[in-house]
Structure formats: structure tokens, C-alpha cells
Amino acid sequence: MNSQNEPLFKPDGKNAIHDGIEHGSGGGKALIDPTDTVLLLLDHQSGLFQNVKDISVAELRANTTALAKLAALIDLPLIITASVPDGPNGPLMPEIQQVAPHAVYVPRKGEVNAWDNALFAKTVRETGRKNINHWRCLDQRLRHVSRAGREGRGFQSLCCD
């Protein structure tokens, strides 16, 4: 095992896990390189939860909180945003910033697609990270908008709408 002082993940360009264990060929690769990944939590607003039909609201809140907590534990940049949080979609889940105080909030002025907001796009670019782990609370009809926003921006994307 690695010592407490050595990071488990190092920006070595190999996306390897440095855990002190000899891995076989093809082993030891992390699924995501946390040294080159940013986590985006978009539109996790109380008023939008009613549109989610594949899991319960309690599960949605717990899963989102777990992602934010994971980002805090492994020092993953976390960007959160909401379209008009004082409007009908309601505020962002307070649990996100409670478990991940390092999260950067980017306000939007009604843009459905966060990528249409210049400050959001700039904030993501300024992390210097090329891999996006993208989670969005949204209605099935809006999934194409979310995907279209990331195209052609030079990022690798793990999309979990």
C-alpha cells in the first residue's frame, strides 16, 4: 500500500494508480484520472426533482451528496450551477456545499444549456482539466441540449445525465 504521505494518483500522463501493488498487464489503470478531471453538478434544484422518474428523490439527493463528498475527499474540482435558483426550479441542494465547501458556484441567468453561459464555460476551462465528469438533474427532453453544449470544446466527457 502507499504511504499516507504519497498521493494515490499522480499527474504522470499514464492514468496509473500508484498504490504500491504490482498490477498485471492492463491492471492498475484508473477509470478516471482525478488529476485531469473536473466534476460538474448541474441544475440539482429542488423544483426539478419532480421530473426525475427513474429513482426516488431521496436516492437522487443521496447520490448527488455522495458525488460532492467524493470530490472533496480526492481534491477534485467541483463546479455547480443552476438556472435561476430563485425562480420556479428552486434553489440548489444545500447538501452539495455542506459536504464540498470547495465547490465553485457559477450563477446563470436563465440559460437552459449551462455551456451557453460564458462564465460557466470560462470557469470549466480555467480548471485546466480536460476530462469532464458531468452530472445533470434534468428532464429526458433536455438531454440533447446538455450533450450539444460539450461538443467541440476540447474535453473528454463522461456524461451521466
Side-chain angles (χ1 to χ4, degrees):
M1 281 303 201
N2 75 326
S3 74
Q4 293 286 8
N5 298 333
E6 283 189 55
L8 186 59
F9 299 100
K10 299 176 186 173
D12 60 5
K14 297 178 185 174
N15 197 22
I17 299 173
H18 301 275
D19 58 5
I21 298 171
E22 187 66 34
H23 296 278
S25 64
K29 284 275 192 184
L31 295 176
I32 1 179
D33 179 356
T35 64
D36 194 28
T37 301
V38 59
L39 177 62
L40 308 179
L41 294 178
L42 311 179
D43 301 327
H44 286 83
Q45 297 169 260
S46 58
L48 293 176
F49 293 166
Q50 65 192 348
N51 296 326
V52 177
K53 304 296 183 201
D54 52 348
I55 62 172
S56 70
V57 171
E59 282 180 287
L60 173 63
R61 293 182 89 90
N63 291 348
T64 304
T65 302
L67 285 169
K69 189 179 286 190
L70 176 65
L73 287 171
I74 64 171
D75 248 353
L76 202 62
L78 171 58
I79 298 171
I80 57 177
T81 186
S83 181
V84 193
D86 55 348
N89 291 340
L92 277 170
M93 291 176 46
E95 297 95 324
I96 296 171
Q97 289 199 297
Q98 289 168 359
V99 299
H102 76 294
V104 174
Y105 172 69
V106 178
R108 296 193 341 254
K109 299 175 184 166
E111 300 94 343
V112 172
N113 185 343
W115 291 98
D116 290 339
N117 180 286
L119 180 59
F120 174 81
K122 178 179 184 261
T123 303
V124 174
R125 270 193 317 274
E126 285 180 350
T127 67
R129 308 286 176 111
K130 295 296 180 200
N131 295 301
I132 295 175
N133 195 328
H134 176 120
W135 295 76
R136 183 168 182 179
C137 180
L138 50 71
D139 185 303
Q140 181 77 14
R141 296 166 298 161
L142 296 176
R143 290 180 194 261
H144 70 283
V145 173
S146 173
R147 287 188 183 101
R150 294 184 307 274
E151 292 179 4
R153 295 182 189 268
F155 297 107
Q156 295 282 355
S157 181
L158 171 61
C159 179
C160 303
D161 292 332

